[in-house]
Amino acid sequence: VAPCVAAVAWSNGATIVNNVLAEQATSHPPNADADGAHHGLDAAATLASPLNMPAADANLARPFHRHVYDRSIARGLVANFQTSGAALVFNAAQDNGGCVRAWTGTKMRVDIAELLASTTIRRIDELLTSRCFGFNSVDEYYADASSDQRLADVRVPLLVMNAFDDPLAPGNSLPYERVRRCEHVMLALTAHGGHLGWCDEGAPFGAPRWVEQTVCDFLRVATSPA
C-alpha cells in the first residue's frame, strides 16, 4: 500500500496548494508509476490563504494596512531579493540589461532598481511576478491565481483555516456559500488571529499548539483507512 501524502501550507503557499489540489483532480492528474499507482496529494490543510486575491489586494490598500502590513511584507520581499539566492539572479540581471528568466524559460527585462525600491506587494507583483508567469497585468494575475474559484474541483480532504480579521484574507471575502457546497472542503474560521497570528490563550507568545493539533488531527483522520 502506497503511503499517504499530505501537505500543510500557509499564506500564498496555501493558495498554491489549493490550486494544485484542484488541478490534480481536473487538468493535471498525478502521473501513474509502473504499478499503476497515482502519486498525488491525499489531503491538505491550508492556513491564512488569500482565497480571493483581488479582495486581498483591495484590503491592503486601506491606509492602516497599506502603511503597516503591506509595507512590511514588501520590505521583507525586497530584503530577500538582496540577501538570498535570488540576489545572484538580480545582480546578474543588472549586468545583463535587467534580463531575468521567466517561467517559460524565455528572458524578460525587469527594472531592477524600481523592483528593489518597491514598497507594496502589488508593485512587486506588477514588476516581476505577473510578468514572470505570462500575465498581461497584475489584476489578471490576481484574478487567475485566486483559489476560491477552484475549491469545488478539489477531490481530497482539505481543511481551510482562516481568521476573520486577517488583513490579507479579510473575512468578508471568504466564499462561505461556495465552501458549503464543497463535499471535500472544510472551512474553519476564527474571529481573531490576523495573518498567521494565532496563539494559545495560556501562552500568547508561544507557538499556537491548538492550531498545530487541529491540523494534525484533521490530516490523521483524512488519511486513515476508511
Side-chain angles (χ1 to χ4, degrees):
V1 178
C4 290
V5 178
V8 179
W10 47 91
S11 195
N12 274 354
T15 295
I16 293 172
V17 168
N18 290 341
N19 284 328
V20 165
L21 291 178
E23 288 179 0
Q24 78 173 17
T26 55
S27 59
H28 294 79
N31 293 325
D33 61 17
D35 298 324
H38 290 270
H39 299 287
L41 290 174
D42 298 295
T46 56
L47 315 177
S49 173
L51 298 165
N52 183 328
M53 292 183 69
D57 176 54
N59 201 53
L60 278 177
R62 297 165 58 189
F64 179 83
H65 294 65
R66 162 73 179 84
H67 292 287
V68 178
Y69 301 113
D70 198 10
R71 184 181 294 271
S72 176
I73 294 172
R75 284 176 175 171
L77 290 171
V78 168
N80 284 338
F81 294 154
Q82 295 172 309
T83 60
S84 68
L88 299 176
V89 175
F90 291 114
N91 288 340
Q94 286 178 314
D95 297 331
N96 192 31
C99 288
V100 299
R101 196 168 297 278
W103 175 256
T104 57
T106 59
K107 291 183 177 180
M108 66 178 193
R109 191 174 300 278
V110 176
D111 188 329
I112 304 299
E114 183 73 14
L115 179 66
L116 297 181
S118 299
T119 59
T120 68
I121 300 171
R122 181 183 178 87
R123 185 58 175 157
I124 292 172
D125 287 339
E126 183 178 42
L127 290 168
L128 180 65
T129 319
S130 60
R131 296 179 56 225
C132 181
F133 291 99
F135 293 100
N136 294 316
S137 69
V138 66
D139 291 316
E140 181 182 319
Y141 160 54
Y142 287 162
D144 186 77
S146 295
S147 61
D148 59 349
Q149 62 194 318
R150 301 184 181 92
L151 292 178
D153 293 328
V154 174
R155 291 295 180 268
V156 298
L158 169 62
L159 172 65
V160 177
M161 181 178 289
N162 281 63
F164 192 87
D165 62 357
D166 188 332
L168 271 68
N172 58 10
S173 72
L174 299 179
Y176 302 107
E177 292 303 321
R178 188 174 298 175
V179 171
R180 288 190 179 99
R181 296 192 295 270
C182 295
E183 179 182 356
H184 301 282
V185 182
M186 175 183 292
L187 173 63
L189 183 68
T190 61
H192 304 291
H195 192 66
L196 296 167
W198 291 296
C199 63
D200 288 343
E201 184 176 5
F205 298 106
R209 296 188 180 278
W210 72 267
V211 174
E212 297 171 1
Q213 190 63 53
T214 298
V215 168
C216 289
D217 287 346
F218 176 86
L219 295 178
R220 187 179 299 111
V221 173
T223 56
S224 296

